[in-house]
Amino acid sequence: MRNQFSKSIVLTAIAIVGLAGVAVAQPPGPGAPGAQGAPAAAGSSAVANPTYVSIFMESAVINKPAAEVWARVGKYCDIGEWLRVPCTITSGKDGEVGTVRSIGREILVGKTDLSYTYTQPVQAGRPYDLYHGTLEVKPLSATTSKVVYTLLFDNSMMVDDAAREADKTRRRTQFQTAVDNMKILAEGGTLPPAPARGGGGGGGRGGPGGAPGGAPGGAPRGQ
């Protein structure tokens, strides 16, 4: 009798352990903590499983020295001219680390003599995509140079791979146009008339170039 009772306890314990193992092995469902693109905790802007992507764009050879190109297109609100969106400095001084511009509330977080990097702030209650952009002018010779623009952001919040690819294509098209515009301006040319902006297509937190959020100059939050 005692042996049968002991065996019963052992079998019950094994069954409980087995069920626990099955529960742990199940992946979290969409929107659950730990699911792709989901906030790590209620009210948090952190993303549990981010998927970072980068987009690299560059201009054709510019027939001007790098320093001259940077002087023409590299001020923090010059973006307003070559991306064709309104831009004002809302905090700090143009060109200084920590300066904030109106586009996407973007903060200048790093700079060199011929480059700068910016990001967008965390917004309460919205997944943070870590959007960063870097604009750089690279010398090619004493009299020539090129513009390089790089975007980096988390696109895990998008519904599927097709949406992610469409977003990357949209951003690449928009910012490659901006890069080409910088070459025109740096060489003393005049930009063609800006295309009409439709009511739908901006996406992102801040405007053109944005993504789950939208603003030019940014990505999922504004470009």
Side-chain angles (χ1 to χ4, degrees), residues 43-58:
S44 172
S45 295
V47 175
N49 296 299
T51 56
Y52 298 113
V53 297
S54 61
I55 304 175
F56 177 86
M57 295 140 291
E58 63 181 357

mmCIF file with all atom_site columns, all heavy atoms in Angstrom, residues 43-58:
data_model
loop_
_atom_site.group_PDB
_atom_site.id
_atom_site.type_symbol
_atom_site.label_atom_id
_atom_site.label_alt_id
_atom_site.label_comp_id
_atom_site.label_asym_id
_atom_site.label_entity_id
_atom_site.label_seq_id
_atom_site.pdbx_PDB_ins_code
_atom_site.Cartn_x
_atom_site.Cartn_y
_atom_site.Cartn_z
_atom_site.occupancy
_atom_site.B_iso_or_equiv
_atom_site.pdbx_formal_charge
_atom_site.auth_seq_id
_atom_site.auth_comp_id
_atom_site.auth_asym_id
_atom_site.auth_atom_id
_atom_site.pdbx_PDB_model_num
ATOM 1   N N   . GLY A 1 43 ? 3.350  50.088 -20.726 1.00 0.00 ? 43 GLY A N   1
ATOM 2   C CA  . GLY A 1 43 ? 3.772  51.458 -20.468 1.00 0.00 ? 43 GLY A CA  1
ATOM 3   C C   . GLY A 1 43 ? 5.215  51.736 -20.822 1.00 0.00 ? 43 GLY A C   1
ATOM 4   O O   . GLY A 1 43 ? 5.664  52.867 -20.744 1.00 0.00 ? 43 GLY A O   1
ATOM 5   N N   . SER A 1 44 ? 5.976  50.706 -21.211 1.00 0.00 ? 44 SER A N   1
ATOM 6   C CA  . SER A 1 44 ? 7.382  50.895 -21.554 1.00 0.00 ? 44 SER A CA  1
ATOM 7   C C   . SER A 1 44 ? 7.535  51.179 -23.038 1.00 0.00 ? 44 SER A C   1
ATOM 8   O O   . SER A 1 44 ? 6.770  50.695 -23.869 1.00 0.00 ? 44 SER A O   1
ATOM 9   C CB  . SER A 1 44 ? 8.170  49.636 -21.195 1.00 0.00 ? 44 SER A CB  1
ATOM 10  O OG  . SER A 1 44 ? 9.501  49.713 -21.686 1.00 0.00 ? 44 SER A OG  1
ATOM 11  N N   . SER A 1 45 ? 8.545  51.991 -23.401 1.00 0.00 ? 45 SER A N   1
ATOM 12  C CA  . SER A 1 45 ? 8.850  52.253 -24.805 1.00 0.00 ? 45 SER A CA  1
ATOM 13  C C   . SER A 1 45 ? 9.875  51.269 -25.356 1.00 0.00 ? 45 SER A C   1
ATOM 14  O O   . SER A 1 45 ? 10.157 51.294 -26.550 1.00 0.00 ? 45 SER A O   1
ATOM 15  C CB  . SER A 1 45 ? 9.383  53.691 -24.956 1.00 0.00 ? 45 SER A CB  1
ATOM 16  O OG  . SER A 1 45 ? 8.372  54.628 -24.631 1.00 0.00 ? 45 SER A OG  1
ATOM 17  N N   . ALA A 1 46 ? 10.418 50.429 -24.493 1.00 0.00 ? 46 ALA A N   1
ATOM 18  C CA  . ALA A 1 46 ? 11.415 49.447 -24.933 1.00 0.00 ? 46 ALA A CA  1
ATOM 19  C C   . ALA A 1 46 ? 10.748 48.381 -25.801 1.00 0.00 ? 46 ALA A C   1
ATOM 20  O O   . ALA A 1 46 ? 9.615  47.981 -25.558 1.00 0.00 ? 46 ALA A O   1
ATOM 21  C CB  . ALA A 1 46 ? 12.080 48.792 -23.730 1.00 0.00 ? 46 ALA A CB  1
ATOM 22  N N   . VAL A 1 47 ? 11.467 47.908 -26.820 1.00 0.00 ? 47 VAL A N   1
ATOM 23  C CA  . VAL A 1 47 ? 10.979 46.852 -27.705 1.00 0.00 ? 47 VAL A CA  1
ATOM 24  C C   . VAL A 1 47 ? 11.699 45.562 -27.335 1.00 0.00 ? 47 VAL A C   1
ATOM 25  O O   . VAL A 1 47 ? 12.925 45.530 -27.243 1.00 0.00 ? 47 VAL A O   1
ATOM 26  C CB  . VAL A 1 47 ? 11.233 47.219 -29.181 1.00 0.00 ? 47 VAL A CB  1
ATOM 27  C CG1 . VAL A 1 47 ? 10.843 46.071 -30.099 1.00 0.00 ? 47 VAL A CG1 1
ATOM 28  C CG2 . VAL A 1 47 ? 10.463 48.481 -29.549 1.00 0.00 ? 47 VAL A CG2 1
ATOM 29  N N   . ALA A 1 48 ? 10.926 44.506 -27.152 1.00 0.00 ? 48 ALA A N   1
ATOM 30  C CA  . ALA A 1 48 ? 11.512 43.261 -26.634 1.00 0.00 ? 48 ALA A CA  1
ATOM 31  C C   . ALA A 1 48 ? 12.459 42.599 -27.622 1.00 0.00 ? 48 ALA A C   1
ATOM 32  O O   . ALA A 1 48 ? 13.527 42.122 -27.251 1.00 0.00 ? 48 ALA A O   1
ATOM 33  C CB  . ALA A 1 48 ? 10.386 42.293 -26.259 1.00 0.00 ? 48 ALA A CB  1
ATOM 34  N N   . ASN A 1 49 ? 12.078 42.541 -28.896 1.00 0.00 ? 49 ASN A N   1
ATOM 35  C CA  . ASN A 1 49 ? 12.899 41.846 -29.893 1.00 0.00 ? 49 ASN A CA  1
ATOM 36  C C   . ASN A 1 49 ? 13.088 42.724 -31.125 1.00 0.00 ? 49 ASN A C   1
ATOM 37  O O   . ASN A 1 49 ? 12.468 42.478 -32.172 1.00 0.00 ? 49 ASN A O   1
ATOM 38  C CB  . ASN A 1 49 ? 12.237 40.511 -30.293 1.00 0.00 ? 49 ASN A CB  1
ATOM 39  C CG  . ASN A 1 49 ? 12.149 39.545 -29.129 1.00 0.00 ? 49 ASN A CG  1
ATOM 40  O OD1 . ASN A 1 49 ? 13.163 39.148 -28.581 1.00 0.00 ? 49 ASN A OD1 1
ATOM 41  N ND2 . ASN A 1 49 ? 10.935 39.191 -28.746 1.00 0.00 ? 49 ASN A ND2 1
ATOM 42  N N   . PRO A 1 50 ? 13.924 43.749 -31.048 1.00 0.00 ? 50 PRO A N   1
ATOM 43  C CA  . PRO A 1 50 ? 14.097 44.670 -32.178 1.00 0.00 ? 50 PRO A CA  1
ATOM 44  C C   . PRO A 1 50 ? 14.814 44.016 -33.353 1.00 0.00 ? 50 PRO A C   1
ATOM 45  O O   . PRO A 1 50 ? 15.577 43.064 -33.184 1.00 0.00 ? 50 PRO A O   1
ATOM 46  C CB  . PRO A 1 50 ? 14.955 45.795 -31.577 1.00 0.00 ? 50 PRO A CB  1
ATOM 47  C CG  . PRO A 1 50 ? 15.701 45.138 -30.452 1.00 0.00 ? 50 PRO A CG  1
ATOM 48  C CD  . PRO A 1 50 ? 14.764 44.109 -29.893 1.00 0.00 ? 50 PRO A CD  1
ATOM 49  N N   . THR A 1 51 ? 14.554 44.538 -34.544 1.00 0.00 ? 51 THR A N   1
ATOM 50  C CA  . THR A 1 51 ? 15.281 44.111 -35.752 1.00 0.00 ? 51 THR A CA  1
ATOM 51  C C   . THR A 1 51 ? 15.842 45.368 -36.409 1.00 0.00 ? 51 THR A C   1
ATOM 52  O O   . THR A 1 51 ? 15.115 46.111 -37.070 1.00 0.00 ? 51 THR A O   1
ATOM 53  C CB  . THR A 1 51 ? 14.354 43.365 -36.737 1.00 0.00 ? 51 THR A CB  1
ATOM 54  O OG1 . THR A 1 51 ? 13.225 44.193 -37.057 1.00 0.00 ? 51 THR A OG1 1
ATOM 55  C CG2 . THR A 1 51 ? 13.859 42.074 -36.135 1.00 0.00 ? 51 THR A CG2 1
ATOM 56  N N   . TYR A 1 52 ? 17.114 45.614 -36.200 1.00 0.00 ? 52 TYR A N   1
ATOM 57  C CA  . TYR A 1 52 ? 17.738 46.841 -36.686 1.00 0.00 ? 52 TYR A CA  1
ATOM 58  C C   . TYR A 1 52 ? 18.133 46.709 -38.156 1.00 0.00 ? 52 TYR A C   1
ATOM 59  O O   . TYR A 1 52 ? 18.686 45.688 -38.570 1.00 0.00 ? 52 TYR A O   1
ATOM 60  C CB  . TYR A 1 52 ? 18.970 47.190 -35.847 1.00 0.00 ? 52 TYR A CB  1
ATOM 61  C CG  . TYR A 1 52 ? 18.623 47.457 -34.409 1.00 0.00 ? 52 TYR A CG  1
ATOM 62  C CD1 . TYR A 1 52 ? 19.057 46.592 -33.399 1.00 0.00 ? 52 TYR A CD1 1
ATOM 63  C CD2 . TYR A 1 52 ? 17.832 48.547 -34.053 1.00 0.00 ? 52 TYR A CD2 1
ATOM 64  C CE1 . TYR A 1 52 ? 18.726 46.830 -32.077 1.00 0.00 ? 52 TYR A CE1 1
ATOM 65  C CE2 . TYR A 1 52 ? 17.488 48.780 -32.727 1.00 0.00 ? 52 TYR A CE2 1
ATOM 66  C CZ  . TYR A 1 52 ? 17.940 47.923 -31.750 1.00 0.00 ? 52 TYR A CZ  1
ATOM 67  O OH  . TYR A 1 52 ? 17.605 48.152 -30.443 1.00 0.00 ? 52 TYR A OH  1
ATOM 68  N N   . VAL A 1 53 ? 17.839 47.731 -38.915 1.00 0.00 ? 53 VAL A N   1
ATOM 69  C CA  . VAL A 1 53 ? 18.198 47.766 -40.334 1.00 0.00 ? 53 VAL A CA  1
ATOM 70  C C   . VAL A 1 53 ? 18.896 49.084 -40.625 1.00 0.00 ? 53 VAL A C   1
ATOM 71  O O   . VAL A 1 53 ? 18.712 50.071 -39.920 1.00 0.00 ? 53 VAL A O   1
ATOM 72  C CB  . VAL A 1 53 ? 16.962 47.618 -41.246 1.00 0.00 ? 53 VAL A CB  1
ATOM 73  C CG1 . VAL A 1 53 ? 16.304 46.271 -41.050 1.00 0.00 ? 53 VAL A CG1 1
ATOM 74  C CG2 . VAL A 1 53 ? 15.960 48.740 -40.993 1.00 0.00 ? 53 VAL A CG2 1
ATOM 75  N N   . SER A 1 54 ? 19.723 49.092 -41.654 1.00 0.00 ? 54 SER A N   1
ATOM 76  C CA  . SER A 1 54 ? 20.383 50.327 -42.071 1.00 0.00 ? 54 SER A CA  1
ATOM 77  C C   . SER A 1 54 ? 20.149 50.529 -43.564 1.00 0.00 ? 54 SER A C   1
ATOM 78  O O   . SER A 1 54 ? 19.972 49.575 -44.309 1.00 0.00 ? 54 SER A O   1
ATOM 79  C CB  . SER A 1 54 ? 21.881 50.285 -41.768 1.00 0.00 ? 54 SER A CB  1
ATOM 80  O OG  . SER A 1 54 ? 22.496 49.217 -42.475 1.00 0.00 ? 54 SER A OG  1
ATOM 81  N N   . ILE A 1 55 ? 20.135 51.789 -43.965 1.00 0.00 ? 55 ILE A N   1
ATOM 82  C CA  . ILE A 1 55 ? 19.980 52.159 -45.371 1.00 0.00 ? 55 ILE A CA  1
ATOM 83  C C   . ILE A 1 55 ? 21.123 53.108 -45.706 1.00 0.00 ? 55 ILE A C   1
ATOM 84  O O   . ILE A 1 55 ? 21.313 54.123 -45.030 1.00 0.00 ? 55 ILE A O   1
ATOM 85  C CB  . ILE A 1 55 ? 18.628 52.829 -45.634 1.00 0.00 ? 55 ILE A CB  1
ATOM 86  C CG1 . ILE A 1 55 ? 17.477 51.917 -45.185 1.00 0.00 ? 55 ILE A CG1 1
ATOM 87  C CG2 . ILE A 1 55 ? 18.473 53.174 -47.112 1.00 0.00 ? 55 ILE A CG2 1
ATOM 88  C CD1 . ILE A 1 55 ? 16.097 52.563 -45.298 1.00 0.00 ? 55 ILE A CD1 1
ATOM 89  N N   . PHE A 1 56 ? 21.877 52.780 -46.726 1.00 0.00 ? 56 PHE A N   1
ATOM 90  C CA  . PHE A 1 56 ? 23.061 53.557 -47.119 1.00 0.00 ? 56 PHE A CA  1
ATOM 91  C C   . PHE A 1 56 ? 22.803 54.198 -48.481 1.00 0.00 ? 56 PHE A C   1
ATOM 92  O O   . PHE A 1 56 ? 22.379 53.537 -49.414 1.00 0.00 ? 56 PHE A O   1
ATOM 93  C CB  . PHE A 1 56 ? 24.275 52.634 -47.192 1.00 0.00 ? 56 PHE A CB  1
ATOM 94  C CG  . PHE A 1 56 ? 25.533 53.302 -47.662 1.00 0.00 ? 56 PHE A CG  1
ATOM 95  C CD1 . PHE A 1 56 ? 26.362 53.966 -46.773 1.00 0.00 ? 56 PHE A CD1 1
ATOM 96  C CD2 . PHE A 1 56 ? 25.890 53.280 -49.008 1.00 0.00 ? 56 PHE A CD2 1
ATOM 97  C CE1 . PHE A 1 56 ? 27.523 54.584 -47.206 1.00 0.00 ? 56 PHE A CE1 1
ATOM 98  C CE2 . PHE A 1 56 ? 27.050 53.888 -49.453 1.00 0.00 ? 56 PHE A CE2 1
ATOM 99  C CZ  . PHE A 1 56 ? 27.867 54.546 -48.545 1.00 0.00 ? 56 PHE A CZ  1
ATOM 100 N N   . MET A 1 57 ? 23.054 55.505 -48.571 1.00 0.00 ? 57 MET A N   1
ATOM 101 C CA  . MET A 1 57 ? 22.895 56.238 -49.825 1.00 0.00 ? 57 MET A CA  1
ATOM 102 C C   . MET A 1 57 ? 24.098 57.138 -50.052 1.00 0.00 ? 57 MET A C   1
ATOM 103 O O   . MET A 1 57 ? 24.693 57.620 -49.082 1.00 0.00 ? 57 MET A O   1
ATOM 104 C CB  . MET A 1 57 ? 21.612 57.077 -49.803 1.00 0.00 ? 57 MET A CB  1
ATOM 105 C CG  . MET A 1 57 ? 20.334 56.241 -49.733 1.00 0.00 ? 57 MET A CG  1
ATOM 106 S SD  . MET A 1 57 ? 19.085 56.956 -48.637 1.00 0.00 ? 57 MET A SD  1
ATOM 107 C CE  . MET A 1 57 ? 19.833 56.742 -47.021 1.00 0.00 ? 57 MET A CE  1
ATOM 108 N N   . GLU A 1 58 ? 24.449 57.379 -51.307 1.00 0.00 ? 58 GLU A N   1
ATOM 109 C CA  . GLU A 1 58 ? 25.545 58.288 -51.604 1.00 0.00 ? 58 GLU A CA  1
ATOM 110 C C   . GLU A 1 58 ? 25.290 58.996 -52.925 1.00 0.00 ? 58 GLU A C   1
ATOM 111 O O   . GLU A 1 58 ? 24.531 58.515 -53.770 1.00 0.00 ? 58 GLU A O   1
ATOM 112 C CB  . GLU A 1 58 ? 26.882 57.552 -51.632 1.00 0.00 ? 58 GLU A CB  1
ATOM 113 C CG  . GLU A 1 58 ? 27.011 56.502 -52.704 1.00 0.00 ? 58 GLU A CG  1
ATOM 114 C CD  . GLU A 1 58 ? 28.361 55.794 -52.661 1.00 0.00 ? 58 GLU A CD  1
ATOM 115 O OE1 . GLU A 1 58 ? 29.206 56.167 -51.834 1.00 0.00 ? 58 GLU A OE1 1
ATOM 116 O OE2 . GLU A 1 58 ? 28.563 54.867 -53.467 1.00 0.00 ? 58 GLU A OE2 1
#
